[in-house]
Amino acid sequence: MSKTKVTAEPGKQELWVERVFDAPREVVFKAFTDPKLYTQWLGPGKYAMTLETFEPKSGGRWRYLHKDEQGNQFAFHGVYHEVLPPERIIDTFEFEGLPEKGHVVLETLRLEALPGGQTKIRIQSVFQSVADRDGMIQSGMEGGMNESFDRLDELLKKNTKKE
């Protein structure tokens, strides 16, 4: 399917992510809120993922760990501000491995139903500073996001086989 488009205008604290998936909006939304599906596509394929907390509802929390082949763990957490099926999820995102806390990102995921049973997702991520945003980009997030979304594409194909 399509590749991920990341837009980050110089000097701004936000970035935008866009991608089209060949699956209905309800199915794509479920992949973001069903723990059995979520763990199959999110993050680097070589890492093992553990969901410690996963409450995809307004006011819920989440926390997960990625573990690499050498046993290093990378933890992330946040809070769901709004979960509105099947059109929107607003949450926070924080990587726990930074030297100081407080580098929280506010993320809004919007899902748009397209003709032919496709879904366009748009994610707006608003960072605490331009430096935080640029640091996320320099960390390789675009490559990681493409890898995750490629795996999501495959998962959606399995879950929406046309008879």
Side-chain angles (χ1 to χ4, degrees):
M1 196 73 245
S2 71
K3 289 297 170 202
T4 308
K5 176 184 171 190
V6 177
T7 304
E9 293 182 33
K12 292 201 173 179
Q13 291 174 232
E14 68 181 358
L15 65 81
W16 290 89
V17 176
E18 235 178 64
R19 182 145 171 169
V20 174
F21 293 98
D22 192 19
R25 182 165 79 156
E26 292 75 14
V27 175
V28 176
F29 186 87
K30 185 177 179 183
F32 279 86
T33 57
D34 181 324
K36 290 180 181 128
L37 299 175
Y38 196 63
T39 56
Q40 292 181 55
W41 66 267
L42 186 67
K46 292 181 178 182
Y47 290 8
M49 181 180 185
T50 303
L51 276 179
E52 285 193 348
T53 307
F54 192 67
E55 305 163 340
K57 62 183 180 188
S58 298
R61 298 176 305 118
W62 64 268
R63 184 173 192 267
Y64 62 79
L65 300 168
H66 281 132
K67 188 174 183 179
D68 69 15
E69 294 164 330
Q70 290 76 42
N72 299 306
Q73 292 194 90
F74 308 95
F76 307 84
H77 72 271
V79 176
Y80 289 103
H81 291 268
E82 180 184 44
V83 178
L84 182 62
E87 62 186 77
R88 183 173 56 240
I89 298 173
I90 301 172
D91 70 340
T92 59
F93 173 92
E94 186 171 0
F95 171 52
E96 295 177 12
L98 294 175
E100 76 261 349
K101 294 180 185 282
H103 296 273
V104 179
V105 182
L106 179 63
E107 298 182 323
T108 302
L109 165 70
R110 289 182 174 83
L111 296 90
E112 177 187 350
L114 298 177
Q118 293 186 319
T119 302
K120 178 195 277 188
I121 66 164
R122 285 196 74 188
I123 302 169
Q124 178 191 29
S125 297
V126 181
F127 294 78
Q128 296 291 310
S129 67
V130 174
D132 278 2
R133 189 214 53 187
D134 291 349
M136 177 72 86
I137 293 168
Q138 292 163 3
S139 76
M141 60 97 20
E142 189 169 353
M145 189 170 286
N146 266 315
E147 181 183 344
S148 289
F149 285 162
D150 288 348
R151 290 186 15 239
L152 177 54
D153 257 339
E154 292 304 311
L155 181 64
L156 292 169
K157 284 177 191 169
K158 282 190 241 171
N159 288 323
T160 57
K161 286 185 181 171
K162 301 195 166 81
E163 306 281 325

